[in-house]
């Protein structure tokens, strides 16, 4: 039976990359813990800078095809935020569909593009996917993606509403992952964002942890700036994504014993 220890890399007993790059988690206080991920970053420089200026620790997800990523992500790390790569999986899925499973050109191109994405900057702990991507329901494509994450010692954040292929494959391969609980701004009206933040708090209080994904809309950034400042008074801890991944992964392994 698996132990409740976190996974380690196979090479020389070193920690996996996600643990080496993880921000230190604040001490456990018994309070509910929330991780806020802001994705789609890097293309709009002004809104990306606004996200970086928010009170952290946040987890900031940068699009692999944005420009000046080393400079932007370095600024995010210096501001006290954790990093993940927002991988555009839908083009990767179309490449795979155009190839032959037997002859491998599609799978080879999928890996080539994924590795290009993962080479765009450093210091990240894992990836998250574009919501609604067909690749999330494609077991063969997800096996390639999750296998690459395993070989690099990275985590997977699943933003899908339903259980895609990634969850079971990550479990089988021993890759730590988490699913988001709430989308903050699928509706960017102020009332809708406030309602989603309330829902996020309720989930955290009920479950102990909660993960949100948000986007760098002006309305979202305004709402987050005010909400984040109120969290300490509400008795809620803001933590980097890896703090919750560690907690949920240990719970999963303990439950498997």
């Amino acid at each position: 039976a698996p132990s409740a220890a976190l996974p380690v890399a196979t090479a020389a007993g070193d920690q996996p990359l996600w643990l080496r790059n993880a921000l230190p988690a604040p001490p456990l206080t018994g309070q509910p813990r929330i991780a806020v991920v802001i994705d789609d970053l890097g293309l709009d420089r002004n809104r990306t800078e606004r996200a970086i200026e928010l009170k952290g620790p946040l987890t900031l997800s940068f699009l692999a095809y944005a420009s000046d990523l080393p400079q932007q992500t370095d600024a995010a790390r210096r501001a006290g935020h954790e990093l993940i790569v927002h991988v555009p999986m839908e083009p990767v899925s179309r490449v795979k569909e155009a190839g032959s499973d037997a002859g491998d050109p599609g799978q080879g191109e999928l890996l080539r593009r994924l590795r290009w994405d993962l080479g765009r900057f450093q210091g990240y702990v894992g990836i998250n996917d574009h919501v609604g991507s067909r690749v999330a329901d494609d077991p063969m494509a997800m096996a390639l993606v999750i296998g690459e994450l395993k070989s690099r010692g990275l985590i997977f954040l699943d933003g899908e509403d339903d259980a895609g292929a990634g969850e079971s494959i990550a479990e089988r391969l021993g890759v730590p992952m988490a699913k988001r609980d709430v989308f903050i701004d699928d509706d960017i009206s102020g009332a809708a964002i406030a309602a989603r933040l309330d829902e996020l708090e309720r989930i955290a209080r009920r479950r102990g942890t909660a993960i949100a994904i948000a986007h760098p809309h002006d309305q979202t950034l305004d709402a987050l700036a005010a909400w984040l400042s109120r969290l300490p008074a509400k008795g809620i801890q803001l933590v980097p994504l890896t703090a919750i991944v560690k907690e949920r992964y240990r719970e999963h392994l303990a439950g498997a014993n």
Side-chain angles (χ1 to χ4, degrees):
S3 72
L6 291 167
V8 295
T10 55
D14 289 338
Q15 281 189 320
L17 189 61
W18 75 276
L19 287 176
R20 296 204 302 271
N21 287 339
L23 287 182
L28 285 170
T29 63
Q31 296 175 317
R33 312 179 101 198
I34 286 176
V36 175
V37 179
I38 303 179
D39 67 11
D40 286 348
L41 293 173
L43 293 180
D44 186 319
R45 297 295 292 269
N46 290 333
R47 290 184 176 89
T48 297
E49 289 173 5
R50 283 196 64 194
I52 290 172
E53 290 170 358
L54 289 172
K55 176 181 173 62
L58 302 172
T59 299
L60 303 186
S61 179
F62 285 81
L63 287 161
Y65 50 84
S67 60
D68 299 323
L69 282 174
Q71 294 87 344
Q72 293 193 75
T73 56
D74 180 63
R77 284 286 291 187
R78 285 188 281 105
H81 303 303
E82 198 162 71
L83 303 178
I84 57 176
V85 185
H86 197 187
V87 173
M89 305 274 262
E90 196 67 18
V92 168
S93 181
R94 289 198 297 270
V95 165
K96 180 190 171 297
E97 289 167 3
S100 161
D101 290 343
D104 190 47
Q107 295 179 34
E109 180 64 8
L110 186 156
L111 282 176
R112 187 194 70 78
R113 292 191 179 195
L114 176 62
R115 289 166 179 168
W116 183 88
D117 294 336
L118 295 175
R120 296 286 288 149
F121 63 93
Q122 298 181 347
Y124 51 81
V125 299
I127 73 168
N128 71 309
D129 55 347
H130 273 305
V131 177
S133 172
R134 286 173 295 167
V135 76
D137 297 318
D138 183 335
M140 189 172 296
M142 286 307 299
L144 288 171
V145 172
I146 300 296
E148 185 71 12
L149 298 183
K150 179 179 178 65
S151 71
R152 292 171 179 254
L154 298 170
I155 65 173
F156 176 57
L157 172 62
D158 186 356
E160 297 291 325
D161 288 315
D162 302 317
E167 189 168 0
S168 61
I169 293 168
E171 181 176 354
R172 174 166 55 83
L173 295 181
V175 172
M177 69 157 292
K179 285 185 72 70
R180 61 92 184 156
D181 297 297
V182 174
F183 266 123
I184 297 298
D185 50 6
D186 43 358
D187 178 340
I188 61 171
S189 68
I193 291 173
R196 300 300 273 174
L197 290 171
D198 287 343
E199 179 186 2
L200 180 66
E201 293 179 26
R202 288 195 298 272
I203 292 170
R205 293 187 190 282
R206 182 178 72 249
R207 183 177 181 179
T209 62
I211 298 170
I213 293 180
H215 303 89
H217 305 301
D218 287 331
Q219 298 92 327
T220 304
L221 296 171
D222 289 342
L224 283 175
W227 179 78
L228 290 168
S229 69
R230 296 194 297 267
L231 279 186
K234 293 183 176 187
I236 294 175
Q237 263 191 318
L238 181 69
V239 297
L241 176 65
T242 51
I244 294 182
V245 170
K246 291 174 189 175
E247 200 166 326
R248 291 187 181 180
Y249 196 74
R250 285 192 181 101
E251 289 171 359
H252 168 72
L253 290 179
N257 280 328

